[in-house]
Structures are given as C-alpha cells and as structure tokens.
Amino acid sequence: MATVDWTSMFKRGRRLAAAAPVVLAAVGVAMAASSTPRPEIDRRAEAVRTLTAGELGPRGLAAITNRMDPSQLAIALRHDATGRGAELHGLTPGWESLTLAGRPTLDLGASGVDAMKLNAATPAVSGYLRVARPFVFKPATAEDQRRALRCLTQGIYYEAALEPTNGQEAVAQVILNRVRDPNYADSVCGVVFEGAERTTGCQFSFTCDGALGQAPVAWAWNRARMVAERALAGHVAASVGTATHYHADYVHPWWAPTLNKLTQIGAHIFYRWKGVYGEPAAFRQAYSGREPLIDEARFARPRLRIVSGTGDALAVARDEPAVRTVEIDGQSRIVGVASLGGRRPATAADIAAINQRLAAFEAAPDEPTRAIPPGVTVMAVEEVGRPTS
C-alpha cells in the first residue's frame, strides 16, 4: 500500500488558497467587461477597421466613401478639417479653375473647386470595368462610311482635341458604345448629333454652341481622324470599357452619382450604367449601316439664348481668333482658341463696346438726394473696413 505524503499535499493546498483571490478577481473583471456595453467610439473604430481591413490610406478611404450616398458624402466633406476651398466673394463660380482647354457645359451641377472636390472624393469602381467588344462597322454605302468617319472625327476633335491620345480613344469608345446601346441612336452621326435640333437637348455641346462654325486646326483634325479610323476598324479602348458617359473634371453634373465611375483620363471622367445595363451583353443594338445627312451649316449657328428682354441669340464672331501654344503628347502646338473650344474669345470691338458702356455708367450723375421727412434726425455714418485707396 502506497504511503501518502501529507506534508507536500498541505503545501500545495496552501498555494492554491493563496492564488484563489487573484483568480476570482480576474474572472470577475472579465464577467463585468462582457456585460458592460461597449462605448460608441469603440464600435465605430471596430467598424472602420473591418471595412478598411486596417488600411487607412487612399484605398481604405475609398472603401468608406464608396458606401456613402451623395448627401452623406457632402456632409463629410463639409466637416473635413483639411479642406481648403477658394473663397469666391461674389465672383463667377469656376473662375479659380479655368484652364486653356476649358469649355462651357450644358449640364447643371457643381463647378470649379467644389466640383473637383466632389469628383476626387468619388472613388472609381474598377471592379465594374468590362472590356467592350470591337465595333462592327459595316456601312451600307461609301457615302455612309464617309459620314460616319466625319461625325466620329468631329466628336473626338471638338470634345477632346487637346486630350492625350488615350483620352481621344476613350471618347471615341463612348460614342461607339452608345451606337450599340438601345437607349441611343443606331448610327454614329445619330449619336453625335442626338438632340442637336433642340436648344438644350444636345448630348455633345459642340453641336449646339456654335463651335462647328470655326474651321478646325489641320494637325489636330488629322490626329482626331486617325483615332476615329482606328476605332471604326475595331480598336477597343479597354481603359473605359462599356462607358457611355463622361464629363470634364471641373464640373460635377447632376447625373454623376447615378452611374458607376470607372476612371479619369486627362480632363475627362468616364462612367458606365449601373447593374446589368452596363454589362457588355446589354449593348446588343446592331449598327444600322445608314448615316443621316447632317446639316452642318444649321448646327454651326449657336442656338443658346441669353435670358433677357430681347432674347437675341448669341452672335458668332467672324474675326480671326487669337492663338496660344499647348503641349500635346510632348509636342508643342500652336492652336486657335475658338477653333478648339466652344467659347468665343472677346474681340477688340467687344472690348471697346464694354469699355464704352462702363464709361457711360461712371459718367452718369449720382442719384439725387432725397428730401428728409419731417421729424427724422440725420446721423453721420462711418464706413468700417473701407480701403483707403
């Protein structure tokens, strides 16, 4: 029969009894922590960590903002302590972001710095990029082929003459995607000039703002024509996939949040339809092969009207436009201002007329002093903050 070592068992029991309070305290703390509600800041931090996978850089920020609707994103930007926007102080919106390649837009929405901030805060959903199928170009006649090539060249030239080559290819891809989209016309010229017969319905602003009235610059036209020829021959701009919309980065049209942003090339941001309507299978409309005859003389006259008592249409300047030097794909080019954009530069006659009206306004007599009604006490008024010079 084995002998029991009572001395060692007694020592072991004393050690366990001494450690019992510590163990019980730890268990109590754990139970209290599990039953106490977590602070709100802890839950938010955990949600951010889960959503961003611990990445707090641009990718993590994109993962957060991609889940916001436009109103939530606007509120977030309003409380961004790092945001530094230019103060307009009554100046025309967009003055601080005007560029040499800038063109007016018919789309209603934010512009200038506000638009750039909204566009930068909207993440691109690269997971929705689908490469479009090559365009099958089978014109019915040689005349239809000529018309299609000219219309596509015009769309590339007047929309993206100063863009890099891949930017021009992307614009051509959008036009050809629309030809195959059941929501648009089934011809190249039909897509490019769609809505041009209406005052504010043109899909591409150059078809109704008078830009066609200016003769194109030869080298830029030839460059756009080569891009159009490649696109009609089956070249695919994979970087924009099935995009059907785009806009300049200095505007933020109302429809931008309703589409999937794909990418930005040069000054243009490209979008596709959401859901199945942006998938390649949805572009099932066959090219008709027939191109409508475009009355370019009619569409060369601007049809945008000034809101005034007379409602006179904007006049088209016939003077020689000024020139400027721009850089295209690393090469310096001299271009005409009016021929590469929709906005006409002011002529010497325009400036003289403006100065004449200003001089007449300054020479006009001041408003006569009104009689002081009986019982009114005249008090001196001190202007505060007025410049001394």
Side-chain angles (χ1 to χ4, degrees), residues 146-384:
R146 185 196 67 81
R147 293 177 184 177
L149 178 58
R150 178 169 179 80
C151 288
L152 186 57
T153 302
Q154 287 174 322
I156 298 169
Y157 176 85
Y158 288 104
E159 291 289 308
L162 301 183
E163 290 296 295
T165 299
N166 59 338
Q168 291 192 340
E169 292 173 345
V171 170
Q173 187 68 52
V174 167
I175 294 174
L176 296 184
N177 285 344
R178 287 192 172 194
V179 175
R180 295 178 291 190
D181 188 337
N183 295 292
Y184 300 95
D186 57 0
S187 64
V188 178
C189 292
V191 165
V192 172
F193 285 87
E194 186 167 3
E197 69 280 358
R198 300 189 299 269
T199 303
T200 59
C202 47
Q203 296 292 311
F204 297 93
S205 59
F206 76 90
T207 65
C208 62
D209 65 5
L212 285 171
Q214 299 293 331
V217 178
W219 66 262
W221 176 267
N222 293 334
R223 176 170 173 256
R225 181 186 175 92
M226 288 189 293
V227 173
E229 289 174 343
R230 289 197 302 270
L232 292 175
H235 175 78
V236 174
S239 57
V240 296
T242 56
T244 51
H245 295 72
Y246 67 87
H247 65 78
D249 60 357
Y250 49 82
V251 297
H252 187 76
W254 62 269
W255 49 259
T258 68
L259 304 176
N260 285 327
K261 176 182 174 181
L262 294 176
T263 187
Q264 178 170 351
I265 302 176
H268 288 145
I269 302 174
F270 294 85
Y271 300 79
R272 56 156 269 180
W273 294 114
K274 287 186 176 181
V276 297
Y277 302 102
E279 297 297 322
F283 295 81
R284 61 185 183 276
Q285 179 171 258
Y287 171 58
S288 66
R290 297 286 185 179
E291 296 290 342
L293 177 62
I294 303 300
D295 185 0
E296 294 188 13
R298 173 192 174 194
F299 295 137
R301 297 189 297 270
R303 291 171 307 288
L304 302 182
R305 294 185 177 275
I306 302 176
V307 180
S308 64
T310 59
D312 294 334
L314 293 174
V316 179
R318 299 303 178 188
D319 299 321
E320 288 297 324
V323 297
R324 64 166 59 97
T325 302
V326 297
E327 186 171 323
I328 302 293
D329 292 340
Q331 298 182 357
S332 296
R333 302 281 194 176
I334 298 178
V335 301
V337 179
S339 62
L340 289 178
R343 180 174 296 168
R344 175 179 66 82
T347 64
D350 294 332
I351 297 175
I354 293 172
N355 290 334
Q356 184 178 5
R357 290 195 296 270
L358 288 175
F361 174 78
E362 293 174 352
D366 296 334
E367 183 180 356
T369 305
R370 297 180 181 178
I372 301 175
V376 175
T377 303
V378 179
M379 302 180 64
V381 178
E382 178 183 0
E383 294 190 33
V384 179

Side-chain angles (χ1 to χ4, degrees), residues 5-190:
D5 187 355
W6 295 102
T7 303
S8 61
M9 291 183 64
F10 180 73
K11 291 180 178 179
R12 190 178 303 127
R14 284 196 306 173
R15 287 197 296 269
L16 291 174
V22 177
V23 175
L24 292 175
V27 172
V29 170
M31 293 178 63
S34 63
S35 60
T36 303
R38 296 179 61 189
E40 177 65 22
I41 187 64
D42 288 350
R43 291 200 297 270
R44 291 183 182 178
E46 179 67 19
V48 171
R49 187 196 67 79
T50 303
L51 186 61
T52 63
E55 169 61 45
L56 298 181
R59 294 181 59 184
L61 180 61
I64 296 175
T65 57
N66 195 31
R67 298 168 62 92
M68 297 181 179
D69 59 33
S71 61
Q72 291 173 328
L73 185 59
I75 294 174
L77 290 173
R78 190 182 309 158
H79 291 84
D80 182 6
T82 63
R84 293 293 183 269
E87 295 295 341
L88 298 181
H89 297 299
L91 297 179
T92 302
W95 68 272
E96 73 287 354
S97 62
L98 292 178
T99 61
L100 295 182
R103 297 187 56 203
T105 176
L106 298 181
D107 296 316
L108 300 178
S111 62
V113 170
D114 291 338
M116 289 183 172
K117 291 176 66 175
L118 286 173
N119 292 328
T122 304
V125 285
S126 57
Y128 289 97
L129 181 63
R130 305 287 188 269
V131 178
R133 292 189 293 268
F135 185 75
V136 180
F137 182 52
K138 294 182 178 180
T141 64
E143 177 62 17
D144 291 313
Q145 180 179 8
R146 185 196 67 81
R147 293 177 184 177
L149 178 58
R150 178 169 179 80
C151 288
L152 186 57
T153 302
Q154 287 174 322
I156 298 169
Y157 176 85
Y158 288 104
E159 291 289 308
L162 301 183
E163 290 296 295
T165 299
N166 59 338
Q168 291 192 340
E169 292 173 345
V171 170
Q173 187 68 52
V174 167
I175 294 174
L176 296 184
N177 285 344
R178 287 192 172 194
V179 175
R180 295 178 291 190
D181 188 337
N183 295 292
Y184 300 95
D186 57 0
S187 64
V188 178
C189 292

